[in-house]
Amino acid sequence: KQSDAQARVVLERALRQIAQMGLTSVHDAGINVSQDALYRSYADQGKLTARVYGMIGDAGADFDQLSAKGPLTTYANDLYALRAVKLYSDGAL
């Protein structure tokens, strides 16, 4: 499990790579509560430089918390959305 500092470093590296490749939006299949908070924080601070379409990673406690208010169709000028769920069955989608 990553610390908050490690998660920020990884996100910043990913955002740099995304920008270098010319990508303007990505999907992140498997978001948990802390990753959701990080994306929202970066979006609020103007540091989320690509649109992120997030998917809650599986059912369980994270799903319960993240879906409590329904899908997040848009956040921070369409920079972030969380409106899908990635489910696993026998190691596959």
Side-chain angles (χ1 to χ4, degrees):
K1 182 171 167 124
Q2 291 179 328
S3 69
D4 290 342
Q6 289 170 322
R8 285 190 300 274
V9 167
V10 169
L11 178 56
E12 288 169 10
R13 285 180 182 167
L15 290 171
R16 277 195 304 273
Q17 271 192 314
I18 289 167
Q20 288 173 349
M21 296 167 74
L23 298 175
T24 59
S25 64
V26 295
H27 289 74
D28 189 345
I31 302 262
N32 63 31
V33 171
S34 63
Q35 291 165 321
D36 173 69
L38 183 60
Y39 281 132
R40 290 177 192 239
S41 172
Y42 268 57
D44 290 340
Q45 297 172 42
K47 294 168 52 175
L48 193 59
T49 55
R51 286 184 170 83
V52 176
Y53 182 95
M55 301 173 206
I56 300 170
D58 213 355
D62 284 327
F63 172 82
D64 292 342
Q65 186 173 342
L66 292 171
S67 66
K69 295 181 182 177
L72 178 66
T73 57
T74 182
Y75 186 82
N77 247 1
D78 279 339
L79 282 175
Y80 180 57
L82 185 64
R83 56 184 177 189
V85 180
K86 181 176 180 178
L87 297 175
Y88 305 86
S89 175
D90 195 31
L93 289 176

